[in-house]
Amino acid sequence: TEVEFGYRDNDFDRIKAFGLSLPIDGDVQTLSLMANGFCDLMPNSQISPFFGGGLGIANVEADLDYPGLGSEDDTVFAYQVAAGVSFAVSDNVNIDVQYRFFGTADPDFGLIEAEYQTHNAMIGMRFGF
């Protein structure tokens, strides 16, 4: 298990509105707090695939550089799924390589309908006790 505090910062250059795709400058920043669980498929091996997932909350803030639009934020339900491979370095230390898909419930930005999802590649170190 793990508790994760995450920060994501994404830029965008287009927005779809009223069936049109309009050029726009802006960014989306997300702060999340997640409770995650993982399952090692071969826990006592040198190399062990694993999978996991998590639930939590995220504050999604969009800053739009467009006339009539500005900064909006909303705190919403968040979820993620993960898969990867763990490499044993010693009895208590593993190096992980993993992929995580992170998504949220649709944030409410007034007149703007939005979705937030990211794909993340990660390398980490795990300590066992």
Side-chain angles (χ1 to χ4, degrees):
T1 60
E2 75 177 14
V3 174
E4 170 193 343
F5 177 73
Y7 173 76
R8 294 165 181 84
D9 189 7
N10 308 98
D11 293 329
F12 57 88
D13 58 5
R14 303 195 75 65
I15 188 170
K16 291 182 181 180
F18 309 109
L20 302 172
S21 181
L22 306 170
I24 188 173
D25 286 325
D27 61 25
V28 177
Q29 298 171 348
T30 304
L31 292 173
S32 61
L33 181 62
M34 306 293 293
N36 300 320
F38 295 92
C39 179
D40 285 315
L41 298 177
M42 298 165 42
N44 296 322
S45 300
Q46 285 293 107
I47 299 174
S48 177
F50 64 89
F51 65 92
L55 302 174
I57 59 171
N59 180 267
V60 182
E61 181 179 348
D63 295 315
L64 307 172
D65 186 15
Y66 197 80
L69 302 175
S71 179
E72 295 276 346
D73 76 291
D74 193 15
T75 300
V76 293
F77 169 75
Y79 58 93
Q80 65 184 349
V81 294
V85 178
S86 179
F87 303 93
V89 177
S90 72
D91 288 341
N92 296 336
V93 179
N94 290 10
I95 301 293
D96 290 347
V97 177
Q98 66 179 283
Y99 162 82
R100 290 188 186 187
F101 172 82
F102 176 86
T104 71
D106 295 345
D108 182 9
F109 295 146
L111 298 176
I112 299 173
E113 183 178 316
E115 295 179 352
Y116 187 78
Q117 301 172 341
T118 65
H119 300 272
N120 307 282
M122 303 174 68
I123 296 175
M125 186 174 288
R126 189 183 339 167
F127 299 94
F129 301 100

